[in-house]
Amino acid sequence: MASIEPIVFYDVPRVPREGADPNNKAFSSNTWKTRYVLNMKGIPYKTRWIEYPDIADEMKRIGGEPGAVYGGIPFYTVPTIYDPNTKTVVTNSDKIAAYLDKQYPQAPVLFPPHTRALQAAVTKRFDTILQPMLPMFLQELYDIMTDYSKPYIRATREQFLGCKIEEAAPTGERKEQMIQAIEGLLTEMYDAIKESGEDAMLLGGDIPIYADVLVAAVLAPTEENFGKDNEVTRIIYAANNGFWPKYLRYFDKYKAVH
Ligand SMILES: N[C@@H](CCC(=O)N[C@@H](CS)C(=O)NCC(=O)O)C(=O)O
């Protein structure tokens, strides 16, 4: 491969966990999708940490577009990449994965021919189930944010949720429904994986596809962000006869933060 200049990868930091590598500030499932893709394909990159209140100005400066709409409000978001080799800015984890797969077609090919539509269906399914669950995780996510980002997170999230962060978490029946929805989603994915055979460990069968990156990026940060004793961490570990920790082990080798 001709020598390529490192991609600039914008990610948002958490306060590093006590005892953890202080350089490991990654916590976001959205940005983990991009980091996994870069690491899996061995594409050189450099993480540029950017705090929440600074994202919009920087994205406007480099020519990025808003990457998400929350509560009807468009937000400039990370992950965003700048590829100096093609002078291209790409925002949104799914679009970034598609761009990288096309521009850097080395293995693993994350969108093999004829899988785009089916993989989009998996992505959509995840978004539909998980997006409404943000309030369930908000307090714990807020707790690991930097003091610099906290006021911004509080103001924006309380605006679109219409309540205090401290009151956002669902309780009672609503919480129970969300827990069941998580278990249901895991089982759907487990059953889908096993369609390729009892020994299959990935949605891609024996090689990962983008839908696997998505699943890993959603599940892997849960324990690191919320701890072993967190209710959702425990569900992920117990579901489908303990399949998911084995699934995540596959992705451990792609966790470097460059
Ligand atoms: N659908 C987008 C969502 C990205 C997203 O929501 N990113 C968050 C960080 S995890 C963000 O940048 N938020 C900006 C803000 O809250 O101002 C993607 O997959 O890239």
Side-chain angles (χ1 to χ4, degrees), residues 38 76 155:
L38 290 164
Y76 286 89

Side-chain angles (χ1 to χ4, degrees), residues 1-7 42-44 83-85 104 106:
M1 198 193 310
S3 95
I4 51 177
E5 274 191 67
I7 285 179
I43 303 168
D83 184 347
N85 305 286
Y104 302 93
Q106 66 262 36

Side-chain angles (χ1 to χ4, degrees), residues 12 28 30 33 52 55 67-68 70 75-79 92-94 152 156-157:
V12 65
S28 149
N30 288 314
K33 288 180 237 170
Y52 277 96
I55 293 175
Y70 293 121
F75 281 87
Y76 286 89
T77 55
V78 296
N92 188 295
S93 52
D94 300 334
Y152 172 90
T156 51
R157 276 45 180 178

Side-chain angles (χ1 to χ4, degrees), residues 78-95:
V78 296
T80 291
I81 59 162
Y82 172 66
D83 184 347
N85 305 286
T86 58
K87 307 207 177 341
T88 308
V89 177
V90 191
T91 293
N92 188 295
S93 52
D94 300 334
K95 288 190 185 152

Side-chain angles (χ1 to χ4, degrees), residues 165-214:
I165 286 177
E166 289 72 11
E167 291 152 11
T171 52
E173 202 177 319
R174 182 87 192 101
K175 181 177 174 187
E176 196 43 46
Q177 281 168 353
M178 286 192 181
I179 297 282
Q180 281 174 15
I182 294 172
E183 285 173 327
L185 185 61
L186 290 172
T187 297
E188 271 177 44
M189 293 302 133
Y190 176 80
D191 289 346
I193 288 169
K194 296 300 173 187
E195 285 288 323
S196 294
E198 247 330 286
D199 293 342
M201 288 301 291
L202 297 163
L203 286 161
D206 50 5
I207 47 167
I209 54 174
Y210 182 60
D212 287 301
V213 173
L214 169 81

Side-chain angles (χ1 to χ4, degrees), residues 33-103:
K33 288 180 237 170
T34 301
R35 183 171 284 102
Y36 277 140
V37 174
L38 290 164
N39 286 339
M40 288 162 89
K41 283 179 166 285
I43 303 168
Y45 70 95
K46 185 80 196 115
T47 305
R48 192 167 294 173
W49 298 105
I50 184 162
E51 296 269 4
Y52 277 96
D54 303 331
I55 293 175
D57 282 351
E58 179 65 4
M59 293 309 126
K60 286 180 201 160
R61 188 185 72 76
I62 65 170
E65 289 171 358
V69 177
Y70 293 121
I73 307 164
F75 281 87
Y76 286 89
T77 55
V78 296
T80 291
I81 59 162
Y82 172 66
D83 184 347
N85 305 286
T86 58
K87 307 207 177 341
T88 308
V89 177
V90 191
T91 293
N92 188 295
S93 52
D94 300 334
K95 288 190 185 152
I96 293 171
Y99 167 84
L100 292 173
D101 209 40
K102 190 159 175 238
Q103 195 64 33

